[in-house]
Amino acid sequence: MTDTVDTHDQLALRRARLGALREAGNAFPNDFRRDTLAADLRARFQDVDAEALEGDPARVRIAGRMMTRRVMGKASFAHLLDGSGERVQIYARADVLPEGVYEDFKRWDVGDILGAAGTVFRTRTGELSVKVDELRLLTKSLRPLPEKWHGLADTETRYRQRYLDLMMNESTRKTFEARARTVELVRRFLVDRGFLEVETPMMQAIPGGAVARPFVTHHNALGMDLYLRIAPELYLKRLVVGGLERVFEINRNFRNEGVSTQHNPEFTMLEFYQAYADYRDLMDLTEEMFRGVAQAVAGSPRVVYQGETLDFGKPFARMTVKESILHYNPGVKPQELESLDLASAVAGRLEIPVKPTWGLGKVQVEIFEKTVEHRLQDPTFVTAYPTEVSPLARRNDADPFVTDRFELFIAGREIANGFSELNDAEDQAERFRRQVAERDAGDLEAMYYDEDYVTALEYGLPPTAGEGVGIDRLVMLLTDSPSIRDVLLFPHLRSKA
RNA sequence: GGGCCGUUAGCUCAGUCGGUAGAGCUGCUGACUCUUAAUCAGUAGGUCGGAGGUUCGAGUCCUCCACGGCCCA
């Protein structure tokens, strides 16, 4: 067999070995059943000493990918990695296995998937192991694994071939387990409070609910363009109109924008809506939810992110947009934020290119984003966003220049955005008209007029508050991941030529 | 879109001043019945991301392109 194959070509050699397996019978059997995972084995026997194991031998059936292999003549050790994320060492001996099996084993490769059965014992150095008397090759691996000691380091390969990353890097597996746990906790938190989980359209005739550029697709039979949703917001509020007074959705949004360590074209958003509540209720709810999730996922309310400690345990700071600007810009006087001319002058000093279409509210928010946002480390609610930049939020009763809205910032990034909903259909219609005017003036991110949504509002949306939470960014914080790609199993990359 | 950095064996990485390609792991052959980065001996393995250019000579210098990373917009 090997003399007809280039032995330096590992792929060809393994293909030849697979060919021999095909000759010998079924090369891809699916009749082996296991009864124990590596983690179960550890949990069950970690406190049992060698003598006790010998006196009362336990039989186990395990299966997994062979990650290491040490052949020493007529005895060998190997580690099998299974779905529990842990490894079990197996001890194979020629005189314990059935005739010929040990010789077969010596022709198997690291990366192959094996099934093994035998008795649990401890080696001289104390490692829990299985002395196998049954050993089978279940799946031949044709490609060599990355290097056993350094593992897989190449970032591009880790993203493009995530399965290798998951196999070789335990921290990657842990990150995605933490992601799943985060989503699970958020879901349970909301369900426990009477929220109903729903699914709304991913393909929308009018992309609404956020300020962003959409992806366009086409429906052939209907002969119409559709947009991948940039947010589920307007559909969820239609459901509240319909009497589903507490709803949420955890699902993908799509935004046709740049790719960065903070942005992926598709990302996961939690949105939830609660009738008979306002934005302050949601700030309280969010604080409770984040505190609980941080404790459960990171193990502490104090989360270390990229060397900085983020404290989810203490009450989250709350300040208005204007207060935060004044706090972080001691040279700016309060009056300078009260007129378009003066605020534009401040923006100019900060080298913000002010566009002629901007009103005072937009200028304030630009100043905020440039000078405040990145400095908000510990969880901080920023409130009172200008109405101008909040086309779906309810105006503040005392100051209609701003809305009853907040954004939550952690580690300098926007993590959540919530507000008391605008439920005045006529005001909403007017806000849509202003958005359309901005779109006509060249702003590709401005909203479309959604007549059907206005109609829904005309039936009456109860006083409601709603919020969106960026799940990917939350998971980044909880797993100390510097890039959004580290918390997406298959992040967007250009296709290789 | 701009700047900087990277791309060399299956993997992890060296490669000096421009002088004809290196290591470890992996693989292959052999030895070895408690190893765990097993050990020991021997050995194979390269379109140096791609295309052009400069040069007697390019992994190395220049240009363009592709992909990736970080920062900025």
Side-chain angles (χ1 to χ4, degrees):
Chain A
M1 171 179 76
T2 52
D3 54 356
T4 64
V5 172
D6 261 349
T7 54
H8 76 265
D9 185 342
Q10 299 184 40
L11 181 59
L13 182 70
R14 288 177 178 221
R15 285 209 165 107
R17 286 173 172 168
L18 174 59
L21 290 169
R22 290 188 200 279
E23 296 282 316
N26 186 355
F28 293 92
N30 188 356
D31 60 345
F32 182 89
R33 295 296 175 263
R34 67 180 169 195
D35 57 25
T36 307
L37 290 169
D40 300 334
L41 187 119
R42 178 185 51 73
R44 200 172 137 200
F45 298 107
Q46 65 183 351
D47 297 324
V48 184
D49 65 26
E51 289 72 27
L53 281 170
E54 206 174 337
D56 180 20
R59 285 197 63 80
V60 293
R61 300 177 65 78
I62 59 175
R65 189 181 297 275
M66 180 159 62
M67 301 303 288
T68 64
R69 197 172 74 120
R70 293 172 293 281
V71 176
M72 302 161 300
K74 294 189 172 54
S76 297
F77 287 93
H79 276 108
L80 302 189
L81 170 67
D82 70 24
S84 68
E86 297 189 19
R87 301 179 182 206
V88 188
Q89 180 170 257
I90 59 170
Y91 180 44
R93 282 173 52 148
D95 60 358
V96 173
L97 287 163
E99 183 74 25
V101 173
Y102 188 77
E103 290 310 307
D104 290 341
F105 167 79
K106 288 209 280 187
R107 282 191 295 273
W108 299 343
D109 294 294
V110 168
D112 287 353
I113 293 169
L114 311 184
T119 53
V120 180
F121 75 108
R122 276 187 193 279
T123 63
R124 222 168 263 165
T125 53
E127 179 169 348
L128 272 177
S129 305
V130 178
K131 183 184 285 186
V132 296
D133 48 47
E134 180 186 346
L135 190 56
R136 293 176 62 193
L137 175 57
L138 303 181
T139 304
K140 184 69 196 166
S141 172
L142 294 176
R143 293 179 183 269
L145 254 34
E147 209 243 11
K148 63 183 173 186
W149 185 241
H150 298 93
L152 177 65
D154 182 72
T155 325
E156 191 173 349
T157 309
R158 287 184 48 222
Y159 296 153
R160 288 192 196 276
Q161 294 177 275
R162 183 67 90 180
Y163 47 90
L164 289 178
D165 189 26
L166 287 164
M167 257 181 239
M168 303 306 297
N169 298 316
E170 193 186 1
S171 63
T172 301
R173 167 189 276 273
K174 293 266 183 253
T175 293
F176 289 102
E177 286 173 351
R179 181 182 178 116
R181 202 153 60 246
T182 300
V183 172
E184 190 186 330
L185 288 162
V186 165
R187 177 173 281 125
R188 188 183 310 149
F189 181 91
L190 291 167
V191 169
D192 285 349
R193 283 159 184 75
F195 286 82
L196 183 72
E197 183 168 12
V198 298
E199 294 174 88
T200 63
M202 311 291 275
M203 294 194 292
Q204 304 177 347
I206 298 172
V211 173
R213 296 184 64 175
F215 286 93
V216 191
T217 186
H218 187 77
H219 192 298
N220 292 333
L222 297 180
M224 67 185 292
D225 280 345
L226 289 169
Y227 300 90
L228 300 186
R229 75 178 190 193
I230 53 176
E233 171 157 354
L234 301 185
Y235 284 92
L236 291 169
K237 284 192 278 196
R238 283 173 172 93
L239 297 178
V240 181
V241 170
L244 305 183
E245 293 176 347
R246 294 186 179 201
V247 291
F248 75 99
E249 177 165 11
I250 301 173
N251 223 321
R252 223 68 63 81
N253 289 348
F254 306 85
R255 295 188 184 175
N256 205 339
E257 294 163 356
V259 176
S260 77
T261 53
Q262 308 294 318
H263 299 87
N264 197 66
E266 51 179 306
F267 62 99
T268 300
M269 183 93 121
L270 158 69
E271 281 204 16
F272 60 98
Y273 291 82
Q274 177 175 353
Y276 310 107
D278 69 11
Y279 74 114
R280 283 170 301 217
D281 298 314
L282 292 198
M283 286 195 282
D284 294 341
L285 189 79
T286 302
E287 201 168 321
E288 188 186 347
M289 177 164 71
F290 275 46
R291 193 167 290 137
V293 171
Q295 173 72 55
V297 175
S300 161
R302 291 166 65 82
V303 175
V304 175
Y305 183 72
Q306 302 295 289
E308 300 277 340
T309 299
L310 310 171
D311 194 345
F312 289 83
K314 68 183 183 191
F316 294 8
R318 301 184 186 198
M319 62 184 80
T320 67
V321 171
K322 276 196 275 191
E323 285 166 358
S324 72
I325 291 172
L326 295 173
H327 182 261
Y328 287 99
N329 297 275
V332 174
K333 299 188 188 71
Q335 314 85 273
E336 289 182 285
L337 297 179
E338 298 305 330
S339 86
L340 179 58
D341 287 349
L342 292 175
S344 296
V346 171
R349 291 207 299 274
L350 294 165
E351 295 175 353
I352 296 168
V354 177
K355 292 184 184 158
T357 54
W358 290 1
L360 174 60
K362 175 67 173 168
V363 174
Q364 288 175 348
V365 165
E366 290 287 329
I367 295 170
F368 168 82
E369 287 178 0
K370 172 107 181 190
T371 62
V372 179
E373 189 171 318
H374 64 278
R375 289 158 133 161
L376 302 174
Q377 278 292 318
D378 278 332
T380 304
F381 289 114
V382 175
T383 60
Y385 275 71
T387 305
E388 181 185 352
V389 298
S390 312
L392 302 170
R394 183 183 189 280
R395 289 179 203 269
N396 181 265
D397 290 334
D399 179 7
F401 181 79
V402 300
T403 54
D404 288 339
R405 173 181 172 191
F406 66 86
E407 289 198 1
L408 173 61
F409 294 88
I410 309 174
R413 298 109 187 249
E414 178 197 340
I415 303 293
N417 174 25
F419 41 84
S420 301
E421 300 299 336
L422 174 58
N423 61 345
D424 175 340
E426 292 173 0
D427 190 354
Q428 184 67 75
E430 180 54 34
R431 305 257 200 114
F432 275 148
R433 277 192 284 273
R434 288 207 49 181
Q435 288 286 312
V436 169
E438 285 174 32
R439 172 164 286 274
D440 291 344
D443 184 353
L444 295 171
E445 294 190 336
M447 290 180 181
Y448 293 73
Y449 192 105
D450 191 333
E451 194 179 342
D452 184 73
Y453 175 66
V454 174
T455 300
L457 287 188
E458 286 170 348
Y459 281 93
L461 171 69
T464 298
E467 179 176 343
V469 177
I471 293 294
D472 311 282
R473 291 183 181 180
L474 175 59
V475 174
M476 285 170 67
L477 298 177
L478 299 177
T479 57
D480 197 16
S481 300
S483 169
I484 195 170
R485 296 179 204 105
D486 297 323
V487 300
L488 296 168
L489 281 167
F490 299 100
H492 177 79
L493 299 176
R494 283 175 208 272
S495 20
K496 276 231 160 180

